[in-house]
Amino acid sequence: MENLGRVTPATALVLDALLSADTVWGLQIVKDVGKKPGTVYPILDRLEVAGWIQGEWDSTQDRKGPRRRYYRLLAEARPLAQVYVNTHRAKVRTTAAKPSPATLEGKWQGA
């Protein structure tokens, strides 16, 4: 398992989706994270190359439509993935708690 280096917010969202299920197919991850396939699939590819996840094609012939590729977060990657997700959530909470410049502007005008 390789170090991911910089983990983007989109990567943290993908890791969160992978943590929430044993296996999940790619388009479901796209829907869960609310990002475009052109963002999610390169992340999945990078995670697979780095040895964090394992992907395999659906072998079911009964289902109509294109084949699905299912992804599974490997057990040894789960603890570090959880750290990345928690760090991302903390950053989002901190950013959301900071007042915007527009909010502060109104307070300074009355002083």
Side-chain angles (χ1 to χ4, degrees):
M1 189 174 91
E2 296 176 21
N3 187 351
L4 294 179
R6 183 175 154 263
V7 176
T8 65
T11 302
L13 291 171
V14 169
L15 288 171
D16 192 25
L18 289 162
L19 281 164
S20 68
D22 289 334
T23 60
V24 60
W25 60 293
L27 192 55
Q28 185 61 50
I29 296 171
V30 169
K31 291 176 184 179
D32 290 348
V33 303
K35 300 288 182 187
K36 294 185 179 191
T39 299
V40 173
Y41 284 107
I43 292 170
L44 290 170
D45 185 50
R46 187 168 57 102
L47 290 171
E48 192 167 11
V49 168
W52 283 58
I53 64 173
Q54 180 179 14
E56 66 181 48
W57 288 102
D58 181 18
S59 59
T60 304
Q61 300 296 326
D62 299 338
R63 199 180 66 73
K64 294 183 181 189
R67 289 190 324 166
R68 293 180 176 176
R69 184 152 174 87
Y70 287 91
Y71 297 92
R72 176 175 66 86
L73 188 63
L74 299 177
E76 57 270 18
R78 283 186 167 276
L80 193 51
Q82 190 64 59
V83 168
Y84 283 132
V85 168
N86 292 344
T87 300
H88 171 69
R89 286 181 183 156
K91 285 181 183 177
V92 169
R93 278 192 295 263
T94 301
T95 304
K98 290 181 183 176
S100 70
T103 306
L104 292 175
E105 186 176 299
K107 294 184 188 265
W108 290 106
Q109 288 178 351

